Each structure stands twice: as C-alpha cells, then as structure tokens.
Amino acid sequence: MHGRSPHERLLCLLGVSLSLTIFALMNAATSQSQDFSRHSTASQTTEVVPSQTRTEPLLDLRFDDLEKLNEAVQPSIVTIRVKGRDGDELSIGTGFVISADGQIVTNSHVIGEGRAFTVELANGMRLPVLSIEACDQLIDLAVLRVDVQNQSLKPLKLSELPISPGMQVAGFGNPLGLQNSVVAGIISAVREVQGREMIQLAMPTQPGNSGGPLMDMRGTVLGIINMKSAIDDNLGFAIPVNQLAPMLKETHPVRYDRWVTLGRLDPNKWDILFGATWQQSGSIITARGVGKGFGGRSLCLSKDNDFQLPMEIAVDVRLDDETGAAGLAFYADGEDRHYGFYPSNGSLRLTCFKGPSVYSWEVLVDSPSMHYRPRKWNRLRVRLEENRFQCFINDELFTESTDIQITSGQVGLVKFRDTNPDFKRFEVGQDLSWPALTDAQENLISILLNESHSIDDLNEKTLSNLAESNDAVSRELEKRASILELKIAQMRRLAEDVQLQSTLNALQNIFTDENSESPSRLALGALLIAKLDNNDTDPRSYLEKIQSMAEEICASLPEGAGPEEKRRLLNQYLFDENGFHGGRAEYYHPANSHLDRVIDDREGLPITLSILYMELGKRIGLDIVGIGLPGHFVVEHKVDENRTVLIDVFDRGKVLSKQSAAELVFNSTNRPLIAEDLQPQSETDILIRVVNNLLGSARRNSDTEAYRRYCEAMVSIRPEDPEARIMRSQARAITKRFSGAIEDVDWLIERIPEGPNQEQAIRLKDSLIADQQQENSIHE
C-alpha cells in the first residue's frame, strides 16, 4: 500500500498484528450469537411469576418423549426474517405465539432497530406485522402483534413453576436458518451473566435459535433463548420468562410502518452508499454493521452541496474500537472516489480513494497524534482551499496536503470494517475552528494548574467563570490532561526499562571470563530470562531451592550408588514424589519457559524441565548434557566412558532409543535424524533456545513489548551475533525506541564491508532517523 512508513514495514517484517476481539451482547443488524465475558453464580432456583396473558394454554400435559412435544409446539413457532437496506435477507430468528389474537414474543436483537422484518408461521404463511407492542433492549425482549387474518393461532403457556438445575428442556427455532428444528438439553444453572439473570443451558445453541421458546416437558415456556457461548456450541443461555411479565402488563405499541423508519436518516439530507445501517437519535448519528464496499467501507454523504471555497467541514467522532476506522469524507463523486480523514488503529490517516479496492487507494499520511484521545470524542476538521486542504484533530493542525487528484464532490462521513462509530455536530461552514480562550481564562487555568495550588475544592464563582467559555475551558483542560497522561506513561515505561536493563546486565555478566567456572550459570541464566517478565523473581532464592532439592535426593542415595541408580532416584524424586510433568495442556504458555514457574508449578516445556534435570543431576554427581533435537529438547546421560543414554525429561525421564529420537525429529521436521542433532549444546545455545520459545509466544500473543524484551536478552547472551542485533533493532523501532534501534544499525554498519549491504543498512538508519523525527514532532 502506498504511504506505508518504515515503522510499518518493520512491523510487517516481524509479522506482528495487533487486534482486539469485540464482544457485544445485542447487535441490531444481525441475530448472530454472542459471547459472554463473565459469570457470577446467582440463586440456583428462581421463581417465575404467573403469566399475564389472558388466553388459554395450548397444552398442559405430561409428555413422555420429545417427538410428541415437538408435534404439539411447532404450530406455535414463527420464523422472523430481517431485511437489509437493499431488501435482501440480513438475518433469521425465531419467535413464538403467546395469544390467539396475535401476540408474538422474540428477542429485541432479532428484529433490530427500525429494520423491516416478516413473521412466518410453520406452514409457510406470512402474517402482516401490525405493531411492536413492547421492546426492551436492556433485557433483549420484544413483543409483536400480527394480523391473524383467518389463521387460528395456538398460544404457548408461560410457565408458573420454579426453574431448577437438572430440569429437562427443549429448545425450538431455526438454527443457522434450518427451520422447524428442535433440540433437547438440561438446565445447568440460573446465574448472572453480564448483569442479567439468565438460564444456563447444556444444549446446542446456534444463530437462528434466538427468540425461540425454552420449554419444559409439560409444554410450558420457561424462557426465551437468547445467546450461545463463543467458547462451546453446547453452552447456551435463555432469558427467564418472568422477565416478560412487566412488558405484557404495560405495552407501548409502535405501528410497524413507524417502526421501520425509527432513527432513519432523512433521505432528503443524506445519501447512503455501500450499505451499513446509518441512523440518527437526537444529535447523534450512528453507523452499525459492515458496509458492502471493500474493507467494509460505507459512506453517508450530505446532499447540501451549496458551498464555495474556502470552506470547512467538521464532525465529532467516537470509535467503539480503536482498531476500527471512521471519520470525514470529502470530494466524493457518489461512487468510489473521495478523500478520507479518520482515526485508524490508533493513528490518524489521510487517504485518497480512487477506486473500489485497496489497490486503488493511496494513503497520503498515516501517523499517530498526541492530540487524539482514544475512546473519547474527537473533533475532526478539514479546511478546503484552492489546490490544498488542511486536516485538524481537536483544533490542532495534523497535516496539510496539495494533492489534487480529486477536486470536487460531496462531503460527509465514512466508516470501515466492523467499526460502530458515533458522530455528532457534523458542520459545513467558512470557519469552524474553536473559539480561543480569553486572557483571563488562560491566566485562571495557569493558576489552577500551578503545583502549589489545589484544584480539588473550587468555589462556585470560580467554576462559573470557567463555564462562561462553554466548552473552551473543558477542551483546554482535557488537552493538558492528555499531555500529562503521556508524560506519566513515558516515565513509567522508563522505570520499567531501567529495571529491565539491570536484569540484562546480570544476564550478560554470566558469560564474562570471571564467571566461566560458576556451577550455576545455566540455571541462573534461565532464572534471569524468567525475570524479564516478572521483575519480582529472585534468582538467588530459586538457586537455593534447587540446591535444597539436590540435597534431598542425596539424602536418599545409598552408599556407593552408581550413575544409573542415581538417575533412577532423580526420576523418582521429580516425577513420582513431586509430580513434575510436561506442560501439555498449555504447551505454549510463557510460564512453561520460566524456570521459576516450572519449579513452583511443577510443569514445563522439554527444555526447561531438562535444565532443572541437568542442574539437579550435576549436583548429585551425574554427567548430563543437553541435546537440542529439532522440536524437542532432551538430555544425554554419560553412564560411563563407553555408554550414554538419551532421556526425555518431558516424558517422565523415559530412556530414548536412537530410533525413538529419529521419530521425534521426523515428526517435527519431516527429515531424518542427522549426527549434528545429537551434539551437546552449550549453555548459551540452551538459553538462546529458551528465548526463542518466548519469542514465539510473544508473536502468537501479538505482544510487541515482550518481543522487545526477549530480543534484548538475545543480544545480552550473544552480543556479537548480527542476527540478534537486527532483531533487536526491529523490535526497538516497533516499540518506538528509535535511539536504541539506531545504535544497533550503527553497530552493523561498522562491521559490514563497504558495498550494497552497507548502503542498505545506511538507508535503514536514515528511515529510522526520519521516524524518530516524526515521533518527536508529534509530542512537541
């Protein structure tokens, strides 16, 4: 893509992608099942209030099997189809009849906010929707009324019995669009989920089940199926039917023809391109769902084109997710061409969209700004003049451009991906800049922010004086607070870096000449690597623990014990008596690479368990070395001058034949075992392998700070390794430690002979310097 900075190129090189998963309880645009983030146990039995419906129940019998229940219930189940902006089917859900005169119950997220929808009986007949009698998004329930026409509707009875764990239940609906389906399960619990009392179900639940009845085997409704867990398809939730009673008691009908226009933007004022749902409530314009344009692009363009240059457009925008993107569009041709100025992934971006896909998009500027406030309202403003335009964030100039690839068109709003932004105060005018503070207000703010002045207790007169500026003083205080927050974050990071450097210095000192004969270099190095992630780790105490473990083993050794007897007792101590084992359940968890956690938790990776095994073996008189088989670290015990054995510590000290070792290598690399695989590894080789495991974990977790720490450790262990220097330079640049990144490149330049490679390194240094200057300018 055009306009990618060197910083981004380094990020791509490492393949680190930061993303966040966003969970929402109710989605007006779809009936997709939702995840839940927390559960707290509530009462295991709850009472259900009597139904307020005035109709006779469909049935009140005891059913011996699900087939009979399904046969009786299906005529009362309805299919709800929600339409998109273009009239196509957007989603499908379920409802059920509760009165013969046409009342239908479903989830509010099934019918959405102002969406057109249809109601269809099990026999395929559609019933016209007359009104939405009640709708509560907080508890996710809606009551509809349909025109029964000549149909004889069969209502379901709402249960008056208590709900208890262990009850057999059945769910009815349209999972994944498969109509007239039934599924059996049991009630696991009644608990609070995201602040709401819910029935927890051990029952398969899928999109399309939402709004369907949860029934006991007597044929009465216990709850309304609401959502599934994203963790397990067999875990679902339903809303207890007693939450429906207040809605039935006090309805507020909205005619269907009014419902489908609720919140809709005035078509005389706005053009919507590429789908998504744009609505207005009071002064707030919202955009929900994914646009049909490439990258989820959707445009909302003003039809008011009566303006002349110079002019300005502005809007306040707030993102639900900072990985998203939404903001201003200008010079739009009503199709694919326009400019966009918007926050995206924590930066601000100015892009020229010249066509339908990313290949025709040109990013002109992409850079963070200290004036942008994440997760808050931010004012975007663009000033349009002949042959140039300026972009402002919270009234601070962000960039100006003389790009003239597009010079006329509509102005409005734009969103991308699955971002759900809110907009307010969209304006077009000659000068939309914020009014400046008066001298008196400036002086008052300066006095208040003086370190010797307390701002906790201001009198009403002072507050009134500040309030006379409307929003100007609040904005200035917000801006200064953002600057202070940035300084605080920088100081905290500096404190962490100082702590880290102390650990790195200790790690590097292990391998100096004066420590070459230290008996605990390997264990100390592994513990210092663990300290990279937890500064509270005390290597000395764990070295004492290892020594104490060795003394326990020695105490059990019979007089004159030979190498094999010692190894047997070592295995017995670790695996039988103390339960050390391979960490298979969470193999890639970073704790499996931390020797302190391996000792505390008694589980780890092959390499960390092997380090402990070697350290203990050395202390009880065994000659054990590490063997770095590709993909699986083992150890070799030299029994005597003529015999050695391979041992898989991860597998409880199992002795490996050469054939077994060959199988381990083949399973990891798809190649045969070679002689080099069986060579003992040095202490530095082993520690580098531990760090490489942690680097892999950091990549999987998209943790750039952890990645940088491990790259620092690589250089501490092997300071003369060019590859380690390159990796550290990249990691430092990604985390915006540009001075350190430049130092590493300088180190490389000094050691690379003159020629193309050195020239490439010099170009890399120049790009890092440019990034550093840009970053410094942001914070000035």
Side-chain angles (χ1 to χ4, degrees):
M1 183 183 294
H2 297 284
R4 178 169 285 164
S5 70
H7 174 80
E8 287 181 304
R9 291 195 296 273
L10 290 171
L11 187 63
C12 292
L13 180 61
L14 284 175
V16 178
S17 173
L18 298 178
S19 63
L20 296 199
T21 308
I22 299 300
F23 298 103
L25 179 61
M26 293 180 289
N27 187 331
T30 77
S31 62
Q32 295 292 320
S33 298
Q34 306 296 331
D35 186 25
F36 62 94
S37 60
R38 61 183 184 274
H39 296 156
S40 60
T41 303
S43 170
Q44 294 299 300
T45 303
T46 184
E47 295 295 326
V48 180
V49 299
S51 166
Q52 299 296 323
T53 183
R54 297 181 299 277
T55 60
E56 292 299 317
L58 169 66
L59 39 93
D60 192 10
L61 303 173
R62 182 72 185 181
F63 284 93
D64 296 328
D65 57 58
L66 189 61
E67 183 178 354
K68 292 180 181 179
L69 180 62
N70 182 52
E71 183 179 343
V73 170
Q74 281 297 345
S76 303
I77 306 300
V78 301
T79 299
I80 298 175
R81 301 182 187 276
V82 181
K83 297 181 179 179
R85 297 185 62 86
D86 299 326
D88 53 340
E89 184 175 296
L90 183 66
S91 61
I92 185 171
T94 304
F96 57 95
V97 179
I98 62 167
S99 70
D101 59 354
Q103 278 188 314
I104 307 290
V105 171
T106 187
N107 291 138
S108 68
H109 81 259
V110 168
I111 62 174
E113 299 176 355
R115 286 288 191 182
F117 62 90
T118 61
V119 174
E120 182 181 304
L121 293 174
N123 62 13
M125 182 175 181
R126 286 189 176 180
L127 300 179
V129 182
L130 298 177
S131 63
I132 288 76
E133 300 221 323
C135 185
D136 190 327
Q137 292 186 355
L138 184 62
I139 61 174
D140 196 19
L141 288 177
V143 180
L144 321 176
R145 184 172 294 280
V146 297
D147 184 351
V148 300
Q149 298 183 340
N150 297 322
Q151 297 294 305
S152 177
L153 300 187
K154 299 180 179 180
L156 298 180
K157 182 181 180 181
L158 307 184
S159 177
E160 300 177 6
L161 299 175
I163 299 172
S164 300
M167 293 178 66
Q168 291 184 319
V169 290
F172 297 82
N174 307 296
L176 302 175
L178 302 174
Q179 291 181 258
N180 307 323
S181 298
V182 60
V183 62
I186 64 170
I187 292 177
S188 301
V190 178
R191 64 174 71 249
E192 185 177 299
V193 179
Q194 295 185 335
R196 303 157 57 202
E197 185 180 79
M198 301 289 283
I199 304 170
Q200 180 183 325
L201 305 172
M203 184 177 78
T205 306
Q206 296 293 341
N209 281 123
S210 294
L214 178 72
M215 308 195 69
D216 61 20
M217 299 308 290
R218 294 177 58 86
T220 59
V221 180
L222 298 176
I224 301 91
I225 299 171
N226 169 253
M227 62 180 178
K228 61 164 284 188
S229 164
I231 300 172
D232 191 332
D233 286 341
N234 292 316
L235 178 61
F237 294 88
I239 303 166
V241 75
N242 63 349
Q243 297 185 27
L244 184 62
M247 297 176 64
L248 295 174
K249 186 176 181 179
E250 186 175 354
T251 61
H252 301 280
V254 177
R255 292 198 330 264
Y256 177 74
D257 58 346
R258 288 288 298 158
W259 173 264
V260 296
T261 60
L262 285 176
R264 183 170 294 177
L265 289 175
D266 188 342
N268 295 315
K269 295 182 179 180
W270 298 96
D271 282 328
I272 307 299
L273 301 181
F274 309 132
T277 302
W278 293 81
Q279 294 183 303
Q280 184 165 3
S281 176
S283 63
I284 307 294
I285 293 176
T286 62
R288 301 293 184 263
V290 180
K292 294 182 179 179
F294 190 91
R297 177 170 52 156
S298 177
L299 289 159
C300 178
L301 301 177
S302 172
K303 287 187 174 181
D304 183 5
N305 296 314
D306 185 19
F307 55 79
Q308 293 181 342
L309 299 181
M311 62 161 288
E312 295 186 357
I313 57 172
V315 73
D316 293 355
V317 62
R318 180 177 61 193
L319 302 186
D320 67 317
D321 177 8
E322 290 301 325
T323 64
L328 287 170
F330 54 99
Y331 290 159
D333 69 351
E335 294 183 1
D336 295 305
R337 292 169 56 84
H338 63 92
Y339 287 98
F341 175 47
Y342 49 91
S344 176
N345 277 317
S347 294
L348 291 173
R349 183 172 289 183
L350 173 64
T351 304
C352 181
F353 298 89
K354 297 179 285 186
S357 75
V358 67
Y359 302 107
S360 55
W361 300 354
E362 182 179 357
V363 177
L364 302 175
V365 181
D366 183 7
S367 176
S369 169
M370 67 173 293
H371 302 294
Y372 178 76
R373 300 191 294 268
R375 296 174 297 281
K376 295 183 180 181
W377 288 105
N378 286 275
R379 183 70 164 172
L380 302 177
R381 177 164 61 95
V382 177
R383 179 170 180 80
L384 304 175
E385 301 175 354
E386 291 288 345
N387 299 325
R388 80 161 186 168
F389 49 86
Q390 297 173 304
C391 300
F392 297 82
I393 175 68
N394 294 322
D395 228 37
E396 300 289 340
L397 179 64
F398 171 70
T399 189
E400 64 177 72
S401 175
T402 56
D403 191 274
I404 54 172
Q405 297 179 76
I406 311 173
T407 56
S408 64
Q410 294 174 269
V411 298
L413 310 173
V414 63
K415 73 173 290 288
F416 303 89
R417 303 190 282 277
D418 55 354
T419 314
N420 293 322
D422 296 332
F423 301 92
K424 67 180 180 180
R425 296 197 301 183
F426 175 79
E427 298 177 279
V428 179
Q430 294 296 312
D431 182 4
L432 302 178
S433 60
W434 286 337
L437 292 174
T438 65
D439 291 342
Q441 290 166 344
E442 284 276 12
N443 291 335
L444 183 54
I445 290 175
S446 297
I447 293 171
L448 291 174
L449 296 183
N450 189 290
E451 291 184 4
S452 63
H453 195 286
S454 173
I455 61 175
D456 291 333
D457 187 21
L458 298 180
N459 60 39
E460 185 175 345
K461 181 179 179 181
T462 302
L463 289 172
S464 296
N465 290 337
L466 292 171
E468 290 177 359
S469 67
N470 293 323
D471 293 336
V473 169
S474 294
R475 286 194 296 264
E476 181 65 22
L477 291 172
E478 281 278 0
K479 183 172 81 171
R480 298 196 185 193
S482 296
I483 294 172
L484 290 175
E485 287 167 357
L486 178 62
K487 295 284 188 186
I488 291 170
Q490 290 173 335
M491 292 179 68
R492 284 180 175 152
R493 188 166 90 156
L494 177 59
E496 292 171 357
D497 286 355
V498 170
Q499 288 180 336
L500 174 66
Q501 192 60 49
S502 176
T503 302
L504 295 171
N505 291 343
L507 185 59
Q508 187 168 5
N509 287 338
I510 291 175
F511 301 102
T512 57
D513 291 340
E514 58 267 26
N515 293 320
S516 61
E517 300 302 322
S518 172
S520 303
R521 291 204 316 175
L522 180 60
L524 178 57
L527 289 166
L528 288 170
I529 290 171
K531 190 176 174 68
L532 298 174
D533 291 331
N534 180 10
N535 192 59
D536 291 334
T537 297
D538 180 10
R540 180 176 297 179
S541 66
Y542 283 97
L543 290 176
E544 292 173 355
K545 175 65 174 176
I546 292 172
Q547 181 61 32
S548 175
M549 293 168 70
E551 290 171 358
E552 284 187 59
I553 300 171
C554 286
S556 68
L557 295 178
E559 187 175 349
E564 292 187 295
E565 177 66 7
K566 289 181 178 180
R567 190 179 78 237
R568 184 188 70 80
L569 291 173
L570 171 58
N571 290 344
Q572 178 179 301
Y573 176 85
L574 281 178
F575 309 121
D576 298 334
E577 297 175 9
N578 288 287
F580 281 85
H581 59 280
R584 291 179 171 85
E586 297 179 276
Y587 189 85
Y588 293 108
H589 195 291
N592 282 333
S593 294
H594 296 157
L595 185 57
D596 60 329
R597 290 290 301 274
V598 172
I599 294 171
D600 289 339
D601 302 341
R602 307 189 181 197
E603 68 174 298
L605 291 179
I607 190 167
T608 41
L609 287 171
S610 294
I611 290 172
L612 179 60
Y613 197 88
M614 286 187 285
E615 288 291 324
L616 291 173
K618 178 171 55 178
R619 285 166 171 78
I620 65 173
L622 295 178
D623 187 357
I624 300 176
V625 295
I627 304 296
L629 294 181
H632 195 92
F633 197 92
V634 298
V635 299
E636 181 182 78
H637 176 205
K638 184 177 180 180
V639 180
D640 54 42
E641 292 299 325
N642 300 314
R643 188 162 67 95
T644 60
V645 293
L646 290 177
I647 300 167
D648 187 356
V649 185
F650 190 74
D651 196 7
R652 297 175 55 85
K654 177 183 176 182
V655 174
L656 293 176
S657 66
K658 191 170 182 179
Q659 178 61 35
S660 297
E663 290 175 1
L664 285 174
V665 171
F666 186 81
N667 290 337
S668 298
T669 64
N670 201 32
R671 68 163 174 79
L673 179 72
I674 60 177
E676 185 180 346
D677 296 334
L678 296 172
Q679 293 300 308
Q681 291 203 313
S682 68
E683 291 172 327
T684 56
D685 290 335
I686 295 171
L687 294 178
I688 288 293
R689 186 156 172 164
V690 172
V691 174
N692 275 324
N693 287 333
L694 286 167
L695 284 168
S697 175
R699 289 191 193 98
R700 282 185 292 273
N701 296 327
S702 300
D703 189 340
T704 55
E705 283 294 334
Y707 191 93
R708 199 268 309 182
R709 291 196 299 272
Y710 307 145
C711 288
E712 297 280 0
M714 294 272 280
V715 176
S716 293
I717 297 169
R718 284 186 174 159
E720 297 301 317
D721 184 354
E723 183 178 352
R725 292 276 181 168
I726 292 171
M727 290 177 63
R728 186 173 72 171
S729 176
Q730 294 167 341
R732 284 174 165 179
I734 288 169
T735 56
K736 299 182 181 180
R737 293 169 171 87
F738 294 107
S739 294
I742 292 168
E743 285 177 0
D744 280 330
V745 175
D746 281 336
W747 185 92
L748 291 167
I749 291 172
E750 290 176 4
R751 288 158 177 79
I752 298 174
E754 292 185 5
N757 290 336
Q758 189 186 72
E759 292 172 1
Q760 184 177 2
I762 292 172
R763 287 195 296 271
L764 174 60
K765 178 182 177 179
D766 291 341
S767 69
L768 289 170
I769 291 172
D771 279 355
Q772 182 182 41
Q773 292 172 344
Q774 182 182 22
E775 183 69 16
N776 291 339
S777 68
I778 291 170
H779 300 301
E780 288 177 354

